[in-house]
Amino acid sequence: MSTLQSTKFEQVQHIFRELVGRETAVTVRAPGRVNLLGAHLDYNEGWVLPGAIEPSVWLAAAPTTDNRVTVRALNLGETAAFQLPHLELFASSVGGNWVNYPMGVAWALQKAGYDLVGMDVVLVSDLPQAAGLSSSAAVEMAFLLAWETLCGFELDNLSRAHIGQKTENAYVGVGSGMMDQFACVASQANQLIYLDCRTFSHELLPLPSDTAVVLVDSGVRRRLASSHYNDRPAECREATAVLQQHLPHIKTLRDVSLDELELLGHHLPETLRKRTAHVVGECARTNSGAAALRQGDVAAFGRLMRQSHISSRDNYENSTPELDLLAATAWAVPGCYGARFAGGGFGGFMQILVAETAVPQLIESINEAFGQEYGRIPPSLVTKLTDGAKVVSVSDVP
Ligand code: GLA
């Protein structure tokens, strides 16, 4: 554990003891993630390049004997409880009720045949919510690992990601893919995961050690369930259906080549043509990005991030003026390799890949440009890529 992580660990143990009056039986750290290339490709069965970051959810828990799960979310100042077994679909979280994430995980695990125990839980997080950094996947994976530990079963990372995706798709009501959950559990320090979301094969690709990832908060918040996020998978399915009339072999937009799109794009209504152009282009960019990383060419990788942002902005139409200003400002700073917004879009964080030595200049330029336009300084943080979610401590159940 890093010094920062040890401090967080001590903090959550202490808070648990104070609030619950018992010792913890299990403590889990589950990180957020960046996704530097491969935007909106996971549900199109394309390729993605995410990696875990320092900001994380910390979960401390001890089992109960009455099947009750009580969750104290410190950052929200809220406590919520539910009773196991809890098997009905709840789908009431549109608009955002955080307790549906642990409830959804319980639902998906029980559907998969696992018996769960009740838990007293404390959650402490320094991961911004509804900001494109996968706070919901981190909560899901933290609960999943806690239940695995307390109930004596163990899933592999892919199954964990699929339980998280099932929680989102069927329980929470977001038609997302499985990238966030997979990045949360399978990441390794200083590496991005190059994941094929059809075959689920993956490769770890290092970022040069003298690069930093800077995250800047645009201040615009959205929840995937209530934003236009769900429109995008639906549009991609519609575009696939049109193109299948000419390309019967395609299963998703991942299977369409740039040449085929050029030849057949006129069959699509303009909006669907733009969505398809993003997906087809982004598949090519992500694969080129992986090749660039294999050669240690971070400058080429950064240029692809810039093109990726532009395509999201113009073709996928899920950026915002605040994010576009942050991106354009970052691109102009010497030593900045590339920048694109994080996660599902419609607000949240900008992610910037930059030479470590250029970080002060980058932050100064961003503060100045954003301050001039919006009259406020956007919060920013510098992070490294970290290991994925882990059970940090287990003790004998009291
Ligand atoms: C959100 C979703 C992911 C993925 C990204 C966009 O983070 O949860 O499944 O679709 O948006 O790449």
Side-chain angles (χ1 to χ4, degrees), residues 33 35 38-40 42-43 176-177 179-180 224 229 343-344:
R33 62 100 194 86
N35 59 322
H40 282 258
D42 53 357
Y43 56 79
S176 53
M179 168 182 73
D180 300 346
L224 292 186
Y229 179 92

PDB file of all heavy atoms in Angstrom, residues 33 35 38-40 42-43 176-177 179-180 224 229 343-344, ligand 1:
ATOM      1  N   ARG A  33     -11.478   4.980 -12.492  1.00  0.00           N
ATOM      2  CA  ARG A  33     -10.665   4.687 -13.680  1.00  0.00           C
ATOM      3  C   ARG A  33     -10.682   5.868 -14.648  1.00  0.00           C
ATOM      4  O   ARG A  33     -11.597   6.689 -14.639  1.00  0.00           O
ATOM      5  CB  ARG A  33     -11.156   3.428 -14.400  1.00  0.00           C
ATOM      6  CG  ARG A  33     -12.581   3.475 -14.956  1.00  0.00           C
ATOM      7  CD  ARG A  33     -12.673   3.759 -16.437  1.00  0.00           C
ATOM      8  NE  ARG A  33     -14.010   4.116 -16.883  1.00  0.00           N
ATOM      9  CZ  ARG A  33     -14.498   5.340 -16.861  1.00  0.00           C
ATOM     10  NH1 ARG A  33     -13.779   6.345 -16.416  1.00  0.00           N
ATOM     11  NH2 ARG A  33     -15.717   5.598 -17.283  1.00  0.00           N
ATOM     12  N   ASN A  35     -10.395   6.419 -18.967  1.00  0.00           N
ATOM     13  CA  ASN A  35     -10.496   5.644 -20.219  1.00  0.00           C
ATOM     14  C   ASN A  35      -9.947   6.533 -21.323  1.00  0.00           C
ATOM     15  O   ASN A  35     -10.658   7.353 -21.878  1.00  0.00           O
ATOM     16  CB  ASN A  35     -11.935   5.176 -20.487  1.00  0.00           C
ATOM     17  CG  ASN A  35     -12.923   6.304 -20.600  1.00  0.00           C
ATOM     18  OD1 ASN A  35     -12.831   7.294 -19.876  1.00  0.00           O
ATOM     19  ND2 ASN A  35     -13.872   6.180 -21.514  1.00  0.00           N
ATOM     20  N   GLY A  38     -11.063   4.684 -26.712  1.00  0.00           N
ATOM     21  CA  GLY A  38     -12.093   3.636 -26.781  1.00  0.00           C
ATOM     22  C   GLY A  38     -13.414   4.111 -26.196  1.00  0.00           C
ATOM     23  O   GLY A  38     -14.142   3.320 -25.583  1.00  0.00           O
ATOM     24  N   ALA A  39     -13.745   5.387 -26.444  1.00  0.00           N
ATOM     25  CA  ALA A  39     -14.959   5.952 -25.859  1.00  0.00           C
ATOM     26  C   ALA A  39     -16.212   5.337 -26.459  1.00  0.00           C
ATOM     27  O   ALA A  39     -16.394   5.327 -27.683  1.00  0.00           O
ATOM     28  CB  ALA A  39     -14.977   7.464 -26.069  1.00  0.00           C
ATOM     29  N   HIS A  40     -17.064   4.816 -25.618  1.00  0.00           N
ATOM     30  CA  HIS A  40     -18.339   4.206 -26.011  1.00  0.00           C
ATOM     31  C   HIS A  40     -18.150   3.025 -26.966  1.00  0.00           C
ATOM     32  O   HIS A  40     -18.963   2.797 -27.851  1.00  0.00           O
ATOM     33  CB  HIS A  40     -19.275   5.250 -26.625  1.00  0.00           C
ATOM     34  CG  HIS A  40     -19.934   6.116 -25.588  1.00  0.00           C
ATOM     35  ND1 HIS A  40     -21.232   5.943 -25.188  1.00  0.00           N
ATOM     36  CD2 HIS A  40     -19.454   7.141 -24.853  1.00  0.00           C
ATOM     37  CE1 HIS A  40     -21.529   6.847 -24.263  1.00  0.00           C
ATOM     38  NE2 HIS A  40     -20.468   7.587 -24.034  1.00  0.00           N
ATOM     39  N   ASP A  42     -17.307  -0.150 -25.542  1.00  0.00           N
ATOM     40  CA  ASP A  42     -17.493  -1.436 -24.839  1.00  0.00           C
ATOM     41  C   ASP A  42     -18.806  -2.106 -25.231  1.00  0.00           C
ATOM     42  O   ASP A  42     -18.833  -3.291 -25.567  1.00  0.00           O
ATOM     43  CB  ASP A  42     -17.323  -1.310 -23.311  1.00  0.00           C
ATOM     44  CG  ASP A  42     -18.161  -0.250 -22.633  1.00  0.00           C
ATOM     45  OD1 ASP A  42     -18.893   0.487 -23.339  1.00  0.00           O
ATOM     46  OD2 ASP A  42     -18.102  -0.162 -21.389  1.00  0.00           O
ATOM     47  N   TYR A  43     -19.911  -1.335 -25.269  1.00  0.00           N
ATOM     48  CA  TYR A  43     -21.192  -1.974 -25.622  1.00  0.00           C
ATOM     49  C   TYR A  43     -21.307  -2.214 -27.129  1.00  0.00           C
ATOM     50  O   TYR A  43     -22.269  -2.825 -27.581  1.00  0.00           O
ATOM     51  CB  TYR A  43     -22.383  -1.162 -25.082  1.00  0.00           C
ATOM     52  CG  TYR A  43     -22.414   0.281 -25.529  1.00  0.00           C
ATOM     53  CD1 TYR A  43     -22.864   0.639 -26.786  1.00  0.00           C
ATOM     54  CD2 TYR A  43     -21.988   1.291 -24.672  1.00  0.00           C
ATOM     55  CE1 TYR A  43     -22.880   1.957 -27.192  1.00  0.00           C
ATOM     56  CE2 TYR A  43     -22.004   2.618 -25.054  1.00  0.00           C
ATOM     57  CZ  TYR A  43     -22.449   2.945 -26.325  1.00  0.00           C
ATOM     58  OH  TYR A  43     -22.453   4.253 -26.728  1.00  0.00           O
ATOM     59  N   SER A 176     -24.992   0.327 -20.100  1.00  0.00           N
ATOM     60  CA  SER A 176     -23.543   0.465 -20.286  1.00  0.00           C
ATOM     61  C   SER A 176     -22.891  -0.873 -20.589  1.00  0.00           C
ATOM     62  O   SER A 176     -23.511  -1.935 -20.451  1.00  0.00           O
ATOM     63  CB  SER A 176     -22.930   1.053 -19.013  1.00  0.00           C
ATOM     64  OG  SER A 176     -23.335   0.288 -17.904  1.00  0.00           O
ATOM     65  N   GLY A 177     -21.608  -0.828 -20.937  1.00  0.00           N
ATOM     66  CA  GLY A 177     -20.823  -2.035 -21.148  1.00  0.00           C
ATOM     67  C   GLY A 177     -20.151  -2.455 -19.847  1.00  0.00           C
ATOM     68  O   GLY A 177     -20.597  -2.077 -18.756  1.00  0.00           O
ATOM     69  N   MET A 179     -16.628  -2.174 -19.331  1.00  0.00           N
ATOM     70  CA  MET A 179     -15.272  -1.631 -19.213  1.00  0.00           C
ATOM     71  C   MET A 179     -14.954  -1.136 -17.811  1.00  0.00           C
ATOM     72  O   MET A 179     -13.875  -1.415 -17.266  1.00  0.00           O
ATOM     73  CB  MET A 179     -15.107  -0.472 -20.195  1.00  0.00           C
ATOM     74  CG  MET A 179     -13.847   0.343 -19.953  1.00  0.00           C
ATOM     75  SD  MET A 179     -13.705   1.723 -21.059  1.00  0.00           S
ATOM     76  CE  MET A 179     -14.959   2.840 -20.428  1.00  0.00           C
ATOM     77  N   ASP A 180     -15.888  -0.378 -17.206  1.00  0.00           N
ATOM     78  CA  ASP A 180     -15.579   0.286 -15.927  1.00  0.00           C
ATOM     79  C   ASP A 180     -15.275  -0.747 -14.850  1.00  0.00           C
ATOM     80  O   ASP A 180     -14.306  -0.625 -14.100  1.00  0.00           O
ATOM     81  CB  ASP A 180     -16.768   1.131 -15.457  1.00  0.00           C
ATOM     82  CG  ASP A 180     -17.122   2.216 -16.454  1.00  0.00           C
ATOM     83  OD1 ASP A 180     -16.304   2.481 -17.356  1.00  0.00           O
ATOM     84  OD2 ASP A 180     -18.219   2.794 -16.338  1.00  0.00           O
ATOM     85  N   LEU A 224     -25.773   8.746 -15.437  1.00  0.00           N
ATOM     86  CA  LEU A 224     -25.943   8.045 -16.715  1.00  0.00           C
ATOM     87  C   LEU A 224     -27.391   7.646 -16.947  1.00  0.00           C
ATOM     88  O   LEU A 224     -27.898   7.724 -18.053  1.00  0.00           O
ATOM     89  CB  LEU A 224     -25.051   6.817 -16.765  1.00  0.00           C
ATOM     90  CG  LEU A 224     -23.545   7.101 -16.831  1.00  0.00           C
ATOM     91  CD1 LEU A 224     -22.791   5.803 -17.036  1.00  0.00           C
ATOM     92  CD2 LEU A 224     -23.197   8.084 -17.925  1.00  0.00           C
ATOM     93  N   TYR A 229     -27.148   9.107 -22.071  1.00  0.00           N
ATOM     94  CA  TYR A 229     -26.232   7.974 -22.274  1.00  0.00           C
ATOM     95  C   TYR A 229     -26.947   6.819 -22.978  1.00  0.00           C
ATOM     96  O   TYR A 229     -26.446   6.280 -23.960  1.00  0.00           O
ATOM     97  CB  TYR A 229     -25.655   7.495 -20.929  1.00  0.00           C
ATOM     98  CG  TYR A 229     -24.726   6.319 -21.097  1.00  0.00           C
ATOM     99  CD1 TYR A 229     -23.360   6.511 -21.269  1.00  0.00           C
ATOM    100  CD2 TYR A 229     -25.210   5.006 -21.140  1.00  0.00           C
ATOM    101  CE1 TYR A 229     -22.494   5.436 -21.448  1.00  0.00           C
ATOM    102  CE2 TYR A 229     -24.360   3.928 -21.329  1.00  0.00           C
ATOM    103  CZ  TYR A 229     -23.008   4.153 -21.481  1.00  0.00           C
ATOM    104  OH  TYR A 229     -22.165   3.080 -21.675  1.00  0.00           O
ATOM    105  N   GLY A 343     -15.195   8.925 -19.436  1.00  0.00           N
ATOM    106  CA  GLY A 343     -16.454   8.207 -19.222  1.00  0.00           C
ATOM    107  C   GLY A 343     -17.529   8.480 -20.249  1.00  0.00           C
ATOM    108  O   GLY A 343     -17.266   8.694 -21.431  1.00  0.00           O
ATOM    109  N   GLY A 344     -18.754   8.481 -19.786  1.00  0.00           N
ATOM    110  CA  GLY A 344     -19.913   8.534 -20.672  1.00  0.00           C
ATOM    111  C   GLY A 344     -20.164   9.891 -21.313  1.00  0.00           C
ATOM    112  O   GLY A 344     -20.860  10.000 -22.315  1.00  0.00           O
TER     113      GLY A 344
HETATM  114  C1  GLA B   1     -19.594   4.856 -19.005  1.00  0.00           C
HETATM  115  C2  GLA B   1     -20.119   3.429 -19.087  1.00  0.00           C
HETATM  116  C3  GLA B   1     -19.109   2.513 -19.785  1.00  0.00           C
HETATM  117  C4  GLA B   1     -18.668   3.098 -21.128  1.00  0.00           C
HETATM  118  C5  GLA B   1     -18.256   4.561 -20.965  1.00  0.00           C
HETATM  119  C6  GLA B   1     -17.953   5.235 -22.282  1.00  0.00           C
HETATM  120  O1  GLA B   1     -18.471   4.929 -18.184  1.00  0.00           O
HETATM  121  O2  GLA B   1     -20.375   2.931 -17.796  1.00  0.00           O
HETATM  122  O3  GLA B   1     -19.652   1.220 -19.935  1.00  0.00           O
HETATM  123  O4  GLA B   1     -19.666   2.933 -22.091  1.00  0.00           O
HETATM  124  O5  GLA B   1     -19.252   5.323 -20.311  1.00  0.00           O
HETATM  125  O6  GLA B   1     -16.833   4.681 -22.882  1.00  0.00           O
END
